Amino acid sequence: MKNNNLAEKELIVNMGPQHPATHGVLRLVLEVEGEIIKKCTPYIGYLHRGVEKLSEDLTYVQSLPLTDRLDYLSSMVNNVGFALAVEKLVGINVPERAKFIRTIMSEMTRICSHLVWLATHALDIGAMTVFLYAMRDREYLLELFEMIAGARLTVSYSRIGGVRCDINDEFLDKLGKFINEFPDRVEEYETLIDRNRVWLKRTKGVGVISAEEAINYGLTGPVLRGSGVYYDVRKFFPYDAYDQVEFEVPLGKNGDIYDRYRCRMLEFRQSARIIKQCIEKIPSGSILAENALRIRMPESPLKIDKQDISFELYIEDKQIESFIEKFPEVYASVEAPRGELGFYIVCDNSSKPFRVRVRAPSFVHAGVLPKLCEGSLIADVIANIGSIDIILGECDR
Amino acid sequence: METLNLIFLSVIYTAIYFGILLLHIAYATYAERKIIGHIQLRLGPMVVGPHGLLQPIADVVKLIFKEDIVPSRVDKFIFKVAPLISLTAALSSFAVIPVNQNWVISEIDVGLLYVLGIAGLSVYGIVFAGWSSNSKYAFLGGLRSAAQMISYEVALGLSLVGVILMAESFNLTEIVNKQSEYWYGMFLLPQIIGYFVFIVAMLAETNRLPFDLPEAETELVAGYFVEYSGARFSLFYLAEYAAMFCMSALAAICFWGGWTVPPFLIEAFPFLEKVPGIVWFLLKLYFHIFLFLWIRGTLPRYRYDQLMAIGWKVLIPLALVNIVLTSILKYYL
C-alpha cells in the first residue's frame, strides 16, 4: 500500500477455503475497509474432480454415479437429470411407476437439501438451535433413502429408463407419516426465526437482487424466484410426473435474503404436497423400461475418431453444421433444489458420451456473490453465501 | 504479628473464595452444555462420570496438558499476557461482591464503581490478544470488541445510575439493605427500564449471543482467540464465564435484592425466612445465568452496525430517560 496513513489502508482478508461459513471450499478474497467490503473476488476450483471429462471415458451407466458427487446434498435429483438426458437422446419411454418414484425422490431430496440450507444458513447468522432441529428431520429422510437405495448421500438410484429398485409399502407408510408431520415442523422453525427481530434485521433489505439483475446473471431456482421471477423447470418443461400433480411456485417480492428464505420455506410445504399426491396416485407396474439394459445409442452416419476433431474442423460454418448433424446432441434439465440443473450430452454412436457438459446452478450463482457483497459488511457476506446456497462440488465439477 | 496474621487469613479466604468460584465457573460450562443440549434435543456430556458430571474436570485436565502453541510471528509477550489480563480483570471484580450479609472479601464504599471499572479492563486482554496474534480475523475481532465494550460500558453504567439514586450509595451491601426497606423488596419494579437496559448491556459486555461479535465463529472463525490453544485458550474461556457470573451477581444485587426476600413474600409465606440468604442469592444469580444460556439457544447474532445502533440509539437514551424518571420520583416521593 502506497499510502502510509493507517486510516486509509485496506485490509485483505481471505475468507475460505477453510472458513466454516464457506460451506466447502469457496475462497473469497475480500478487500475490507474497517468492516465494509470494498471488493470481493470469489475463487473456485479447489474441489475440482473433472466429472465432465471423466464421463467421456466411462459408459453412460458408469457416468451416472459421478453425478452423485456433483451436488452431494441432492444426488437423487442429479441422477434423474442425467438419466433424463440419456433417455431423451435414445428415446426411451419410462414406465409411469418409475416416473412417480422419481418425483417422490426428487421432492424428498429437495426437502433434505433445503433442510441443510436452513440449518447452515441459520447457523451462519448465529442460530444454532435451528441447525440441530433441521438435522433431526433430515436424518429421518436419509434413513428412508438408505432403506430404498442402500446409501444415504450418494445414492445412484435412478437408472436410464427408470429406477434401480421398487419402493415398498413400509417405505410409503413411513414417508406418509413424515409428510403429515412435516408442515408442523416447518412451523416450528418459523417460530424460532421467522418472527425473530434479530433474524428479520439481518435478512430484510440485505443482499438485494432485482428481477432484471437475476435474469441477467442467469440465476435460477429459489434465488431467482426470491426476486419475483416466475420460472420453474417443473412447471415450464415438466418431466417425470410433475404434470400430473398440483403445486404452486412460491415467489418473493424484494429479492433480499429474507425473500429467498421465505421461498425455500414455502417450497418445503409444496414439496410435501407433491409427495402426498404422488403417494396417493402412484400406479403399480414396472419400474424400468423394457430393454433398458440393452439400449442402443442413436447411430451417426460417420464414425469419427476423437483425435481427428481438431480446431480446424470448426473454422467453416458448413463443417460445424455437418459436425452437428453427425453427432446427436441433447440437453435435458431438472429443477434441482438449487436451480436449473442441465445436462448437455453429445453422442458419437459409442457406448460412451462424446462430450458431457453440466449446467450447474451453483456455478452460476457464485457469480453473483461479488455484486451482493461489495459495499456490505463482513457479517452480510456470510448471510449472502447462505442465502445463495451454493455447493462447491457442483461449482468445481 | 497481627498484620501477618491478617495477611495470612486474607490469602486463605481469597483462595477459598476463588476456589469455590472457579469450580462454579467450571460447572457453568457443564450447565451450558446440558441446558443448551436440552433446548436443541441432544444430550450434552454423558460419558465422563454419571450424566457427564465429571466432564468439566476432564476438560480442565485436557486443556492444561495440551500443547501450548505460540505462532512464530506473534508479539510473544503481549500474546502470552493477554489472557491473564482478561482473567485477572474478570476475577478481581468478585472481591467486592457480597454473597450474603457481611460475606464479602472486601467491603468498600465504591463497590459498584470498582466492579464497573475492573470489568471494563478485561477489554484490554481481548484487544491485546487480537492485535498480537498477527491474524486478520483476530485483529477484526479485537477491534470489534473494543468498539463494543466502549459503547456498552456507557449503557451499563447509566442503567445502574437509577439504582444508585434510589439506594443513595455505591456500596453493594448497602444497595441490598436499602432494597429490603421498601415493601416491594427489590429495585426490579421501580427500575424496570434500568433492568432491561442492564440485561441487554450485560449480554453485550460479556460477548454472549446475540452480541458475541468479537468471537462470531461463522464470521471471524473465532475472533480474538483464534490463535490460542490449550491453557491460554481456557483462560479466555474462564474469563468469559467469570464475567457472566459477575454480571449476574450484579443483577441479583442491584435489581433483585441480593440475598434478601421481599417483605411481602415473607408475610405471605413466613417459612421463607428460614431459608439462608446465600441460597436466595445463588437462586437469583443462576436465574440470570440461565437467561444467558436460554438466549444463546434462541437468538441469532446481530450485525456489527446494528449492535452499535442498539447501544447508542436505544439503550443509552433509555437509560437517560430512566435516570430522569428516577430523579423526579425520588424528588417528589
Side-chain angles (χ1 to χ4, degrees):
Chain A
M1 203 69 37
K2 282 172 194 167
N3 195 338
N4 279 329
N5 185 352
L6 206 67
E8 289 176 22
K9 267 195 177 177
E10 277 171 4
L11 192 70
I12 292 177
V13 178
N14 271 298
M15 197 166 264
Q18 84 293 357
H19 193 279
T22 48
H23 300 191
V25 283
L26 176 66
R27 177 180 171 221
L28 293 177
V29 176
L30 306 175
E31 276 179 32
V32 292
E33 207 178 275
E35 291 239 346
I36 297 166
I37 315 271
K38 290 284 154 191
K39 201 178 167 204
C40 163
T41 320
Y43 286 89
I44 57 168
Y46 291 91
L47 199 60
H48 191 68
R49 286 167 298 192
V51 168
E52 288 163 348
K53 199 70 193 163
L54 277 173
S55 309
E56 292 169 17
D57 269 337
L58 298 168
T59 65
Y60 287 91
V61 180
Q62 283 170 338
S63 300
L64 197 85
L66 290 181
T67 62
D68 283 328
R69 276 86 183 160
L70 283 174
D71 175 353
Y72 32 78
L73 294 181
S74 48
S75 40
M76 285 278 188
V77 178
N78 300 347
N79 294 166
V80 171
F82 187 75
L84 276 179
V86 182
E87 282 155 13
K88 200 170 164 186
L89 182 77
V90 189
I92 297 179
N93 282 326
V94 180
E96 279 298 299
R97 187 175 172 81
K99 281 186 176 177
F100 273 90
I101 295 175
R102 279 185 185 181
T103 312
I104 291 175
M105 293 298 176
S106 298
E107 291 311 310
M108 276 169 73
T109 310
R110 194 178 316 281
I111 292 178
C112 265
S113 171
H114 281 2
L115 280 173
V116 176
W117 155 78
L118 177 69
T120 50
H121 187 39
L123 187 69
D124 287 348
I125 297 186
M128 198 187 172
T129 306
V130 184
F131 176 83
L132 287 139
Y133 284 13
M135 284 297 169
R136 167 197 62 184
D137 292 342
R138 177 175 180 252
E139 189 62 28
Y140 190 92
L141 286 179
L142 288 188
E143 269 171 25
L144 287 183
F145 281 156
E146 192 179 0
M147 190 173 157
I148 285 306
R152 291 155 60 86
L153 209 62
T154 50
V155 286
S156 304
Y157 180 63
S158 279
R159 284 289 174 275
I160 295 154
V163 291
R164 195 173 78 215
C165 42
D166 204 352
I167 54 175
N168 51 27
D169 289 342
E170 194 193 344
F171 173 85
L172 286 178
D173 284 348
K174 283 190 171 173
L175 184 61
K177 194 169 153 260
F178 178 82
I179 290 308
N180 285 332
E181 285 173 9
F182 189 59
D184 292 340
R185 295 280 169 85
V186 177
E187 238 164 65
E188 193 177 67
Y189 305 139
E190 284 174 348
T191 49
L192 263 173
I193 47 180
D194 207 21
R195 273 163 252 162
N196 191 321
R197 263 181 65 86
V198 187
W199 181 269
L200 296 180
K201 275 198 130 184
R202 286 297 302 276
T203 53
K204 278 205 165 173
V206 181
V208 179
I209 313 172
S210 68
E212 197 185 353
E213 280 170 336
I215 295 168
N216 287 345
Y217 272 103
L219 308 180
T220 47
V223 185
L224 177 74
R225 293 194 286 269
S227 299
V229 182
Y230 186 82
Y231 175 73
D232 190 316
V233 181
R234 295 173 295 176
K235 281 279 186 200
F236 280 67
F237 309 100
Y239 53 94
D240 288 344
Y242 281 110
D243 47 356
Q244 299 177 47
V245 288
E246 282 176 15
F247 65 99
E248 283 157 27
V249 179
L251 292 180
K253 277 182 196 153
N254 308 316
D256 53 11
I257 295 180
Y258 182 76
D259 275 3
R260 296 195 273 279
Y261 153 79
R262 277 311 302 163
C263 270
R264 292 196 180 97
M265 292 310 267
L266 292 169
E267 278 185 17
F268 272 139
R269 295 193 168 88
Q270 294 302 325
S271 291
R273 196 174 151 199
I274 294 172
I275 295 177
K276 204 169 184 178
Q277 292 175 56
C278 285
I279 293 176
E280 284 163 8
K281 287 184 182 174
I282 189 166
S284 55
S286 159
I287 52 155
L288 207 58
E290 270 179 52
N291 293 329
L293 298 175
R294 292 187 294 278
I295 44 171
R296 288 177 65 81
M297 288 301 140
E299 284 182 18
S300 64
L302 188 68
K303 197 172 179 185
I304 295 178
D305 190 354
K306 280 181 194 175
Q307 301 292 328
D308 295 342
I309 300 179
S310 57
F311 179 71
E312 284 75 24
L313 189 74
Y314 292 90
I315 291 174
E316 281 186 29
D317 283 349
K318 277 181 188 174
Q319 278 174 317
I320 294 174
E321 275 167 26
S322 68
F323 177 77
I324 291 170
E325 265 172 34
K326 285 164 199 161
F327 289 80
E329 52 173 4
V330 69
Y331 175 80
S333 65
V334 286
E335 184 69 27
R338 274 161 202 83
E340 180 174 349
L341 173 73
F343 285 90
Y344 171 72
I345 300 175
V346 180
C347 171
D348 66 347
N349 190 28
S350 72
S351 59
K352 296 168 184 172
F354 180 71
R355 280 283 183 276
V356 172
R357 162 93 183 131
V358 185
R359 189 258 179 226
S362 295
F363 177 71
V364 182
H365 292 178
V368 80
L369 269 177
K371 191 248 153 204
L372 286 178
C373 296
E374 278 164 21
S376 67
L377 292 148
I378 289 182
D380 287 335
V381 175
I382 309 299
N384 277 323
I385 296 175
S387 80
I388 295 289
D389 190 24
I390 47 177
I391 287 287
L392 271 295
E394 186 175 74
C395 213
D396 295 350
R397 292 190 300 284
Chain B
M1 198 60 201
E2 238 177 49
T3 326
L4 267 180
N5 250 346
L6 195 70
I7 291 173
F8 180 70
L9 274 180
S10 300
V11 170
I12 295 285
Y13 284 152
T14 314
I16 293 172
Y17 190 89
F18 281 115
I20 294 171
L21 180 68
L22 288 175
L23 208 66
H24 267 267
I25 291 171
Y27 273 89
T29 62
Y30 174 79
E32 166 149 18
R33 286 151 80 175
K34 275 290 185 192
I35 291 169
I36 290 191
H38 281 285
I39 291 175
Q40 296 172 341
L41 308 175
R42 56 196 170 116
L43 290 171
M46 280 302 272
V47 178
V48 193
H51 278 270
L53 266 171
L54 296 177
Q55 186 67 48
I57 312 286
D59 283 342
V60 169
V61 172
K62 183 191 84 175
L63 284 169
I64 288 173
F65 286 103
K66 256 188 158 179
E67 188 189 354
D68 176 30
I69 300 166
V70 180
S72 60
R73 296 267 186 99
V74 300
D75 189 316
K76 288 208 174 52
F77 175 70
I78 296 181
F79 184 83
K80 285 178 180 171
V81 94
L84 292 175
I85 295 177
S86 271
L87 186 66
T88 314
L91 286 180
S92 312
S93 44
F94 283 96
V96 298
I97 286 180
V99 293
N100 203 345
Q101 191 73 37
N102 300 327
W103 283 24
V104 56
I105 295 179
S106 169
E107 170 98 36
I108 55 171
D109 280 341
V110 287
L112 193 54
L113 277 186
Y114 170 82
V115 172
L116 290 180
I118 286 285
L121 277 183
S122 65
V123 71
Y124 277 98
I126 294 177
V127 174
F128 282 176
W131 179 78
S132 68
S133 290
N134 199 12
S135 153
K136 284 163 186 170
Y137 290 126
F139 181 61
L140 285 171
L143 284 185
R144 276 180 174 194
S145 186
Q148 180 173 337
M149 288 281 194
I150 291 165
S151 312
Y152 278 79
E153 192 81 10
V154 180
L156 194 77
L158 288 178
S159 73
L160 289 169
V161 173
V163 172
I164 298 162
L165 283 174
M166 291 195 75
E168 296 168 352
S169 170
F170 284 111
N171 186 314
L172 290 169
T173 311
E174 250 172 60
I175 289 175
V176 172
N177 290 337
K178 191 84 178 178
Q179 292 181 56
S180 54
E181 285 174 16
Y182 296 97
W183 66 269
Y184 42 79
M186 26 173 117
F187 285 160
L188 181 65
L189 224 57
Q191 286 296 320
I192 192 76
I193 305 175
Y195 181 63
F196 170 75
V197 175
F198 181 84
I199 288 290
V200 180
M202 163 179 103
L203 292 170
E205 273 287 293
T206 48
N207 298 334
R208 300 282 300 182
L209 271 166
F211 305 112
D212 66 338
L213 297 165
E215 301 170 30
E217 76 278 356
T218 49
E219 291 156 29
L220 302 178
V221 192
Y224 61 92
F225 59 60
V226 67
E227 302 293 346
Y228 284 86
S229 59
R232 281 179 219 286
F233 164 79
S234 69
L235 293 185
F236 274 122
Y237 221 74
L238 276 181
E240 187 179 319
Y241 276 82
M244 268 168 68
F245 268 88
C246 175
M247 288 295 156
S248 301
L250 218 53
I253 287 169
C254 293
F255 295 98
W256 286 69
W259 53 86
T260 61
V261 196
F264 70 89
L265 261 182
I266 293 193
E267 262 176 42
F269 310 100
F271 64 93
L272 285 179
E273 212 171 5
K274 287 179 185 152
V275 181
I278 181 107
V279 174
W280 288 119
F281 179 76
L282 285 180
L283 274 179
K284 288 167 184 175
L285 185 138
Y286 276 111
F287 167 76
H288 287 93
I289 296 279
F290 178 75
L291 203 67
F292 273 113
L293 307 183
W294 187 13
I295 289 172
R296 194 192 150 186
T298 323
L299 289 184
R301 185 183 302 112
Y302 267 114
R303 209 172 55 202
Y304 179 66
D305 58 324
Q306 291 166 346
L307 167 103
M308 285 292 150
I310 292 168
W312 290 101
K313 292 181 189 163
V314 181
L315 293 186
I316 293 177
L318 258 182
L320 290 173
V321 166
N322 181 46
I323 293 170
V324 173
L325 281 180
T326 314
S327 313
I328 292 171
L329 283 175
K330 185 84 188 158
Y331 187 77
Y332 286 105
L333 296 179

